[in-house]
Short mmCIF file of all heavy atoms in Angstrom, two decimals:
data_model
loop_
_atom_site.label_atom_id
_atom_site.label_comp_id
_atom_site.label_asym_id
_atom_site.label_seq_id
_atom_site.Cartn_x
_atom_site.Cartn_y
_atom_site.Cartn_z
N LEU A 1 0.83 -1.19 0.00
CA LEU A 1 0.00 0.00 0.00
C LEU A 1 0.86 1.25 0.00
O LEU A 1 1.88 1.31 0.67
CB LEU A 1 -0.90 0.01 1.24
CG LEU A 1 -1.79 -1.22 1.42
CD1 LEU A 1 -2.63 -1.06 2.67
CD2 LEU A 1 -2.68 -1.44 0.22
N SER A 2 0.45 2.26 -0.77
CA SER A 2 1.15 3.52 -0.75
C SER A 2 0.88 4.24 0.56
O SER A 2 -0.04 3.90 1.30
CB SER A 2 0.71 4.38 -1.93
OG SER A 2 -0.64 4.80 -1.75
N SER A 3 1.65 5.27 0.83
CA SER A 3 1.53 5.98 2.11
C SER A 3 0.21 6.71 2.25
O SER A 3 -0.20 7.02 3.37
CB SER A 3 2.69 6.96 2.26
OG SER A 3 2.67 7.90 1.19
N ASN A 4 -0.47 7.01 1.15
CA ASN A 4 -1.73 7.73 1.23
C ASN A 4 -2.92 6.85 0.88
O ASN A 4 -3.95 7.31 0.42
CB ASN A 4 -1.71 8.97 0.33
CG ASN A 4 -1.44 8.61 -1.13
OD1 ASN A 4 -1.08 7.47 -1.44
ND2 ASN A 4 -1.63 9.58 -2.02
N CYS A 5 -2.79 5.55 1.09
CA CYS A 5 -3.87 4.61 0.82
C CYS A 5 -4.08 3.72 2.03
O CYS A 5 -3.12 3.27 2.65
CB CYS A 5 -3.55 3.76 -0.40
SG CYS A 5 -4.77 2.48 -0.76
N GLU A 6 -5.33 3.50 2.40
CA GLU A 6 -5.66 2.60 3.51
C GLU A 6 -6.51 1.45 2.98
O GLU A 6 -7.39 1.66 2.14
CB GLU A 6 -6.44 3.34 4.60
CG GLU A 6 -5.75 4.56 5.18
CD GLU A 6 -4.59 4.20 6.09
OE1 GLU A 6 -4.30 3.00 6.24
OE2 GLU A 6 -3.96 5.13 6.63
N LEU A 7 -6.25 0.25 3.45
CA LEU A 7 -7.01 -0.92 3.07
C LEU A 7 -7.78 -1.41 4.30
O LEU A 7 -7.18 -1.82 5.30
CB LEU A 7 -6.07 -2.02 2.56
CG LEU A 7 -6.74 -3.31 2.08
CD1 LEU A 7 -7.65 -3.03 0.88
CD2 LEU A 7 -5.69 -4.34 1.70
N LEU A 8 -9.11 -1.32 4.24
CA LEU A 8 -9.95 -1.75 5.35
C LEU A 8 -10.37 -3.19 5.13
O LEU A 8 -10.78 -3.57 4.03
CB LEU A 8 -11.18 -0.85 5.45
CG LEU A 8 -10.92 0.66 5.51
CD1 LEU A 8 -12.22 1.42 5.63
CD2 LEU A 8 -9.98 0.99 6.66
N LEU A 9 -10.31 -4.00 6.19
CA LEU A 9 -10.59 -5.42 6.09
C LEU A 9 -11.99 -5.74 6.60
O LEU A 9 -12.55 -5.04 7.44
CB LEU A 9 -9.54 -6.21 6.89
CG LEU A 9 -8.08 -6.00 6.48
CD1 LEU A 9 -7.17 -6.85 7.36
CD2 LEU A 9 -7.87 -6.31 5.01
N SER A 10 -12.52 -6.85 6.11
CA SER A 10 -13.86 -7.27 6.50
C SER A 10 -13.95 -7.63 7.98
O SER A 10 -15.04 -7.68 8.54
CB SER A 10 -14.31 -8.46 5.65
OG SER A 10 -13.46 -9.58 5.89
N SER A 11 -12.83 -7.89 8.62
CA SER A 11 -12.81 -8.23 10.05
C SER A 11 -12.93 -7.01 10.94
O SER A 11 -12.96 -7.13 12.16
CB SER A 11 -11.52 -8.98 10.38
OG SER A 11 -10.38 -8.23 10.00
N GLY A 12 -12.99 -5.80 10.35
CA GLY A 12 -13.15 -4.58 11.13
C GLY A 12 -11.85 -3.93 11.53
O GLY A 12 -11.84 -3.07 12.41
N THR A 13 -10.75 -4.32 10.89
CA THR A 13 -9.45 -3.75 11.20
C THR A 13 -8.84 -3.16 9.93
O THR A 13 -9.35 -3.37 8.82
CB THR A 13 -8.49 -4.80 11.77
OG1 THR A 13 -8.35 -5.88 10.83
CG2 THR A 13 -9.03 -5.37 13.08
N LYS A 14 -7.74 -2.44 10.11
CA LYS A 14 -7.01 -1.87 8.98
C LYS A 14 -5.85 -2.79 8.64
O LYS A 14 -5.17 -3.30 9.51
CB LYS A 14 -6.50 -0.48 9.35
CG LYS A 14 -5.79 0.24 8.23
CD LYS A 14 -5.40 1.65 8.63
CE LYS A 14 -4.31 1.65 9.68
NZ LYS A 14 -3.83 3.03 9.96
N ALA A 15 -5.62 -2.99 7.34
CA ALA A 15 -4.56 -3.88 6.90
C ALA A 15 -3.19 -3.27 7.19
O ALA A 15 -3.02 -2.05 7.16
CB ALA A 15 -4.68 -4.15 5.41
N PRO A 16 -2.19 -4.10 7.50
CA PRO A 16 -0.82 -3.61 7.66
C PRO A 16 -0.26 -3.15 6.31
O PRO A 16 -0.88 -3.37 5.26
CB PRO A 16 -0.07 -4.83 8.19
CG PRO A 16 -0.86 -5.99 7.70
CD PRO A 16 -2.29 -5.55 7.69
N GLN A 17 0.90 -2.51 6.33
CA GLN A 17 1.49 -1.98 5.10
C GLN A 17 1.70 -3.08 4.05
O GLN A 17 1.45 -2.89 2.87
CB GLN A 17 2.82 -1.30 5.42
CG GLN A 17 3.38 -0.45 4.29
CD GLN A 17 2.53 0.79 4.00
OE1 GLN A 17 1.76 1.21 4.86
NE2 GLN A 17 2.67 1.35 2.81
N LYS A 18 2.16 -4.24 4.49
CA LYS A 18 2.27 -5.40 3.60
C LYS A 18 1.15 -6.38 3.98
O LYS A 18 1.11 -6.85 5.11
CB LYS A 18 3.63 -6.08 3.77
CG LYS A 18 4.78 -5.39 3.07
CD LYS A 18 4.80 -5.76 1.58
CE LYS A 18 6.08 -5.28 0.92
NZ LYS A 18 6.13 -5.72 -0.50
N PHE A 19 0.29 -6.66 3.05
CA PHE A 19 -0.88 -7.49 3.36
C PHE A 19 -1.01 -8.60 2.34
O PHE A 19 -0.88 -8.37 1.13
CB PHE A 19 -2.15 -6.64 3.36
CG PHE A 19 -3.41 -7.43 3.60
CD1 PHE A 19 -3.64 -8.06 4.81
CD2 PHE A 19 -4.35 -7.57 2.58
CE1 PHE A 19 -4.80 -8.80 5.01
CE2 PHE A 19 -5.50 -8.31 2.79
CZ PHE A 19 -5.72 -8.93 4.01
N GLU A 20 -1.27 -9.82 2.82
CA GLU A 20 -1.48 -10.98 1.96
C GLU A 20 -2.99 -11.18 1.78
O GLU A 20 -3.67 -11.65 2.68
CB GLU A 20 -0.87 -12.23 2.59
CG GLU A 20 0.62 -12.14 2.86
CD GLU A 20 1.43 -12.18 1.57
OE1 GLU A 20 0.89 -12.65 0.56
OE2 GLU A 20 2.59 -11.73 1.59
N PRO A 21 -3.56 -10.79 0.62
CA PRO A 21 -5.01 -10.89 0.44
C PRO A 21 -5.52 -12.32 0.31
O PRO A 21 -6.68 -12.58 0.59
CB PRO A 21 -5.25 -10.10 -0.84
CG PRO A 21 -3.97 -10.17 -1.58
CD PRO A 21 -2.89 -10.21 -0.55
N PHE A 22 -4.66 -13.24 -0.13
CA PHE A 22 -5.05 -14.64 -0.24
C PHE A 22 -4.01 -15.52 0.43
O PHE A 22 -2.83 -15.15 0.54
CB PHE A 22 -5.21 -15.06 -1.70
CG PHE A 22 -6.22 -14.25 -2.45
CD1 PHE A 22 -5.84 -13.37 -3.45
CD2 PHE A 22 -7.58 -14.37 -2.15
CE1 PHE A 22 -6.78 -12.61 -4.13
CE2 PHE A 22 -8.52 -13.62 -2.83
CZ PHE A 22 -8.12 -12.74 -3.82
N ILE A 23 -4.43 -16.68 0.87
CA ILE A 23 -3.52 -17.60 1.53
C ILE A 23 -2.42 -18.05 0.59
O ILE A 23 -1.26 -18.21 0.98
CB ILE A 23 -4.32 -18.80 2.10
CG1 ILE A 23 -5.23 -18.31 3.25
CG2 ILE A 23 -3.38 -19.89 2.59
CD1 ILE A 23 -6.11 -19.38 3.83
N SER A 24 -2.75 -18.25 -0.70
CA SER A 24 -1.73 -18.59 -1.69
C SER A 24 -2.15 -18.04 -3.04
O SER A 24 -3.33 -17.75 -3.27
CB SER A 24 -1.54 -20.11 -1.77
OG SER A 24 -2.65 -20.71 -2.42
#
């Protein structure tokens, strides 16, 4: 994610800077 982008997750939390969207 870029510094000015946030990724919100379905679990109600914000994704970390490096995020794995799928298990594989």
Side-chain angles (χ1 to χ4, degrees):
L1 305 181
S2 69
S3 59
N4 58 349
C5 176
E6 303 287 2
L7 182 62
L8 307 181
L9 302 180
S10 63
S11 55
T13 58
K14 183 176 69 173
Q17 193 68 20
K18 282 279 190 176
F19 177 66
E20 301 288 340
F22 301 111
I23 293 177
S24 73

